[in-house]
Amino acid sequence: MELLLWSLIGILLWIIFFLLLKIRLLQKSAKEIARGFSEKMELDTNTMITISSRDTYMCSLADSINQNLRKLRSERHRFEQGDLAVKDAVTNISHDLRTPLTSICGYLDLLEREELPEQVSRYLAIIKSRTEVLKQLTEELFRYSMVTLTGQELVSEEVVLNHVLEECVSAHYAALKRCRITPDISMPEQNVVRSLNKNALSRTLENILQNAMKYSDGDLRISLSEHGELICSNHADGLDEVQVQKLFDRLYTVETAQKSTGLGLSIAKNLTEQMHGTICAWYSEGVLSICIRFD
């Protein structure tokens, strides 16, 4: 009887050992699948997930994931090709529109110099205004397609944020005054240096200033911290929180924005992210704030 009892205990111990080993192997396979899936999603490679286990269920799971990975890669490749084709088309179309639009604007300028009836002059002013909007939209579309081209890398250099900000505000000071905006600027005495693309940074700041001209009620506060955080704030009673959250969306405009293409802040967001920075906006007590940060 005692021998039978010890035999049963031995058998139970072997079963427990076998089950523990099985669980361990299944855990190892699950980790291999999780690690392999993560790698395949991050890297553009045609290799599939492989596991060391011969367990039927785990092998079936790996095969199922591999099949879906193939479909996902196919769809991603098709999307990237289509996206690139659209961007190329936008670039070509906007480029082709520039020449005739420039000619139209030139002839409109010549017509303005002629003595015309009051009603004709009024119609001419409307045509010129709409043509300028179309020209601006064409330029923004061209720039947007250029900065979002797949694989385009920005060349970085040591940039002093203080100097670029001063240059940008100085270049747009006349336009700000025409909008009755006197910017209040604060920045640290020491230089804030970051490795960035100067042209891309200037373009980003320019678009943020142009946004302030569209929405500001007459004020603009610009602050740069020693940590590389730049905040532009202005009163904008014509906005609300829902609209502010959409300001970075491509082609989004609000009724209070005059001659807006809806691409300026979208371009700023794209350029900021290409330079590994962050950009966001919030709205509080009637004040619109846009913040960009380069760590």
Side-chain angles (χ1 to χ4, degrees):
M1 189 68 181
E2 186 177 351
L3 180 60
L4 179 60
L5 181 60
W6 281 108
S7 299
L8 289 174
I9 293 174
I11 293 172
L12 288 175
L13 290 175
W14 274 107
I15 292 174
I16 293 172
F17 175 78
F18 176 78
L19 291 175
L20 290 175
L21 179 62
K22 185 71 173 179
I23 292 172
R24 178 60 180 169
L25 292 175
L26 291 175
Q27 289 177 339
K28 180 181 178 183
S29 298
K31 290 180 180 179
E32 290 174 346
I33 291 175
R35 183 170 57 252
F37 182 78
S38 178
E39 292 176 353
K40 306 314 175 194
M41 292 299 295
E42 292 178 359
L43 302 176
D44 187 13
T45 173
N46 292 322
T47 59
M48 295 290 104
I49 295 174
T50 58
I51 59 176
S52 57
S53 174
R54 295 184 178 271
D55 182 80
T56 305
Y57 294 104
M58 298 305 291
C59 290
S60 177
L61 175 61
D63 290 339
S64 178
I65 294 176
N66 284 333
Q67 290 177 10
N68 285 282
L69 276 175
R70 293 188 187 96
K71 293 179 182 179
L72 180 61
R73 285 179 185 142
S74 177
E75 290 297 321
R76 183 171 62 181
H77 180 72
R78 189 160 61 90
F79 171 78
E80 289 176 349
Q81 291 298 318
D83 189 50
L84 185 59
V86 170
K87 290 173 182 175
D88 285 340
V90 170
T91 302
N92 294 333
I93 291 172
S94 58
H95 185 271
D96 292 340
L97 286 173
R98 285 163 128 189
T99 301
L101 280 175
T102 301
S103 299
I104 291 172
C105 291
Y107 282 112
L108 288 174
D109 289 337
L110 292 176
L111 281 173
E112 282 188 327
R113 300 175 187 176
E114 301 292 332
E115 293 186 6
L116 300 171
E118 182 180 350
Q119 188 173 12
V120 174
S121 297
R122 184 164 58 87
Y123 291 157
L124 184 62
I126 295 173
I127 294 172
K128 185 174 182 180
S129 175
R130 295 294 88 195
T131 304
E132 288 294 334
V133 172
L134 181 58
K135 184 178 180 181
Q136 182 183 0
L137 177 59
T138 303
E139 287 292 329
E140 292 294 338
L141 281 171
F142 179 76
R143 290 169 181 167
Y144 182 82
S145 61
M146 290 301 295
V147 301
T148 57
L149 281 174
T150 304
Q152 187 178 30
E153 293 291 337
L154 295 177
V155 179
S156 299
E157 59 181 313
E158 293 296 311
V159 175
V160 180
L161 297 184
N162 314 52
H163 297 169
V164 178
L165 177 58
E166 290 174 350
E167 292 172 2
C168 192
V169 173
S170 298
H172 291 80
Y173 193 79
L176 288 167
K177 295 297 289 184
R178 283 197 298 269
C179 297
R180 299 179 181 180
I181 298 174
T182 301
D184 178 14
I185 305 172
S186 63
M187 63 179 71
E189 294 183 1
Q190 66 270 27
N191 290 336
V192 182
V193 182
R194 294 292 185 274
S195 180
L196 304 169
N197 182 280
K198 185 177 180 180
N199 291 333
L201 178 61
S202 298
R203 179 64 180 167
T204 299
L205 297 179
E206 176 184 339
N207 287 1
I208 292 176
L209 289 177
Q210 289 176 351
N211 183 78
M213 296 180 208
K214 297 171 189 174
Y215 300 112
S216 176
D217 292 337
D219 64 318
L220 176 61
R221 177 173 175 78
I222 304 172
S223 63
L224 173 66
S225 74
E226 58 184 9
H227 304 295
E229 182 180 74
L230 188 146
I231 301 177
C232 296
S233 302
N234 58 268
H235 282 84
D237 293 334
L239 295 178
D240 56 47
E241 293 183 6
V242 175
Q243 291 172 327
V244 169
Q245 295 306 313
K246 296 181 179 179
L247 288 178
F248 297 108
D249 293 351
R250 182 174 53 187
L251 298 178
Y252 177 78
T253 60
V254 297
E255 293 180 359
T256 53
Q258 306 211 347
K259 298 183 180 180
S260 176
T261 63
L263 289 172
L265 289 183
S266 182
I267 291 174
K269 182 176 186 294
N270 193 285
L271 289 174
T272 300
E273 291 176 348
Q274 286 190 46
M275 292 185 288
H276 308 292
T278 58
I279 184 169
C280 62
W282 64 86
Y283 190 71
S284 176
E285 298 180 353
V287 176
L288 168 65
S289 299
I290 295 179
C291 173
I292 58 175
R293 184 182 180 91
F294 300 101
D295 294 322

